[in-house]
Amino acid sequence: MAAIQRADAAENRRRLLIAARDLFVEEGPGVALEEISRRAGCGIATLYRRFTDRQALMRAVVLDALERTVEQAREAADEEPDGFAALVRYMHAALDIRAAAVIPALLGTLPLDDEELSRARERGSRNVQYLIDAAHRDGTLRPDVTFGDIGTLIVRLSRPLPGAFPPKQNSELGHRHLDLVVDGLRATAAVRGALPGPALTRDDLRHLPRQRKADGRTAEGRTAS
């Protein structure tokens, strides 16, 4: 009986995290917690048993998404035949996990000094950089593709399209559009000429200014100049 109860609790938590992630992306961090519990098929009391408040839920959603992307990157590196195949597999998995959509949606609401979240983000970026480096080493990824290219491409494809696209169609289109651009990432595409625009690295992205809030303050809490 105890094992069944633990399994039920784990399943409820999983459904709540998925529902919260999707609604935070679709409606923003202020979405009603009752709406999250309804989408998860749970009562609001179940939500509060798992997460003490909205902040705890948002933090758990981000941490779960980051941990799942790390796991997917490792599996892709271990199981795919070459660096390019591993990178493409990871990118498709990242679209499903939606980390690149939910983290920007919650960026200004979570503390920047959360060490566990910072470590999870660093693990995630290191794993993606490993996939990129592996694909460069085996000559399957065009040499001028950077971490910034891969990361911002995933962000663009992860966000919901404007208009009345249902969630399932949004997801399917994200994967379709990723497949459309994959050939441009191959090393053979480099013969067409160098890529225009900035070649952003991990460090470049890390030092970009934080998101500006509606009150004119940055996510660090200082007034933006």
Side-chain angles (χ1 to χ4, degrees):
M1 179 64 71
I4 294 174
Q5 290 175 337
R6 286 195 298 271
D8 288 345
E11 176 60 17
N12 284 340
R13 188 176 191 277
R14 185 190 71 82
R15 293 204 310 267
L16 284 165
L17 286 173
I18 292 173
R21 177 201 67 192
D22 290 346
L23 283 167
F24 286 145
V25 171
E26 294 163 16
E27 301 188 23
V31 63
L33 297 183
E34 290 80 3
E35 187 173 350
I36 293 172
S37 64
R38 281 196 299 272
R39 181 173 291 196
C42 303
I44 189 66
T46 300
L47 185 151
Y48 278 116
R49 279 198 298 272
R50 303 289 176 267
F51 310 101
T52 55
D53 54 24
R54 180 182 300 274
Q55 190 79 1
L57 176 59
M58 291 191 295
R59 183 181 184 277
V61 165
V62 171
L63 189 58
D64 178 68
L66 289 169
E67 290 172 345
R68 290 173 63 195
T69 58
V70 168
E71 180 182 353
Q72 289 297 322
R74 288 173 177 166
E75 289 182 3
D78 289 342
E79 298 173 7
E80 293 302 320
D82 60 54
F84 190 83
L87 181 60
V88 172
R89 169 172 162 174
Y90 164 78
M91 293 174 74
H92 277 289
L95 293 189
D96 287 332
I97 295 168
R98 304 190 80 183
V102 75
I103 292 174
L106 301 180
L107 185 63
T109 64
L110 295 172
L112 295 175
D113 58 354
D114 188 310
E115 292 187 2
E116 188 176 14
L117 287 178
S118 295
R119 287 195 300 269
R121 292 185 73 174
E122 180 59 23
R123 284 195 303 273
S125 65
R126 280 202 312 268
N127 276 271
V128 177
Q129 188 68 63
Y130 175 85
L131 294 178
I132 293 168
D133 292 343
H136 278 150
R137 283 194 301 272
D138 65 23
T140 53
L141 179 67
R142 60 183 294 164
D144 51 356
V145 170
T146 67
F147 178 93
D149 295 320
I150 299 300
T152 54
L153 177 60
I154 293 172
V155 170
R156 287 178 183 273
L157 294 175
S158 295
R159 295 189 174 182
L161 292 167
F165 290 95
K168 184 174 185 294
Q169 191 174 57
N170 249 305
S171 175
E172 291 172 344
L173 286 170
H175 288 287
R176 176 183 174 87
H177 296 157
L178 175 56
D179 281 336
L180 284 172
V181 302
V182 157
D183 279 345
L185 298 173
R186 295 186 189 277
T188 52
V191 300
R192 304 170 197 164
L195 290 171
L200 300 177
T201 66
R202 283 175 62 197
D203 284 341
D204 292 330
L205 294 180
R206 189 179 291 119
H207 293 103
L208 284 175
R210 293 291 181 176
Q211 185 180 49
R212 188 187 296 268
K213 293 184 177 181
D215 64 359
R217 300 171 70 84
T218 64
E220 290 94 343
R222 298 189 299 270
T223 301
S225 57

